[in-house]
Amino acid sequence: FDLRDIKKRGKDSLDFFFEYSPEKELSSESFLELIKPVKVSGTVTLSGEHGAFVECNVCFKIKGSCTRCLKETEKEFSVEVRELCEEGGTDGYQIIHDRIDMSKIVEDAVIMNLPVSFLCREDCLGLCNQCGANLNDGECKCKNS
């Protein structure tokens, strides 16, 4: 975002919506794939002479194999982000030449909210450790022998 555009309009905030497709993979986990684009909507508000406050919702989908039963699964995530951006700041997100790079904010929101365990459903029973049957589909044959 170019903060000069907000100032030129005589406003102190701007609502926005955009779709973002990262150029690189955001997950090092081979069983997860980000479904692009990521949808971002929110408000950027000027804060003092050299700052801006970004409040947004980052919506993204992930596709991958359930870590318990290996079923192909797709889930949607919605993350609320609130970040103070400052010119010349050393912490957090910086404003450089009156611009905020939203790609870093969006990528960080996705990375920080990737699940450690990716389940098809919360009560997934997984696979039988003897015959490999998916226990979500019913009892396996080896339990009866």
Side-chain angles (χ1 to χ4, degrees):
F1 290 110
D2 191 333
L3 300 178
R4 291 174 289 198
D5 290 342
I6 299 172
K7 294 173 186 176
K8 283 180 188 174
R9 293 179 185 180
K11 298 188 176 207
D12 62 351
S13 67
L14 174 71
D15 293 334
F16 61 85
F17 172 82
F18 64 92
E19 293 183 344
Y20 177 67
S21 294
E23 294 178 14
K24 62 180 183 192
E25 277 301 315
L26 299 182
S27 172
S28 60
E29 302 296 336
S30 60
F31 63 91
L32 294 178
E33 177 187 343
L34 179 67
I35 299 173
K36 300 172 188 175
V38 176
K39 296 179 180 179
V40 185
S41 62
T43 304
V44 60
T45 304
L46 300 177
S47 173
E49 191 68 26
H50 303 287
F53 192 66
V54 175
E55 293 180 278
C56 62
N57 182 274
V58 177
C59 294
F60 60 98
K61 287 183 184 180
I62 294 178
K63 177 172 66 172
S65 300
C66 174
T67 52
R68 288 188 189 157
C69 72
L70 305 178
K71 177 183 175 186
E72 191 69 21
T73 302
E74 192 174 293
K75 286 192 173 186
E76 188 168 324
F77 296 84
S78 181
V79 179
E80 293 294 325
V81 176
R82 291 178 177 83
E83 293 292 344
L84 178 63
C85 304
E86 295 181 295
E87 191 174 306
T90 56
D91 296 331
Y93 302 99
Q94 294 185 12
I95 298 172
I96 300 172
H97 304 296
D98 281 327
R99 292 179 179 265
I100 298 173
D101 181 3
M102 287 296 295
S103 63
K104 181 73 174 137
I105 293 173
V106 173
E107 289 176 7
D108 286 351
V110 171
I111 291 168
M112 296 298 292
N113 288 281
L114 288 173
V116 174
S117 178
F118 192 64
L119 302 177
C120 61
R121 59 184 209 214
E122 290 301 314
D123 62 344
C124 177
L125 299 173
L127 302 175
C128 173
N129 60 5
Q130 292 178 3
C131 70
N134 187 338
L135 299 175
N136 296 312
D137 297 336
E139 288 191 28
C140 64
K141 306 241 188 266
C142 70
K143 282 189 175 183
N144 297 325
S145 15

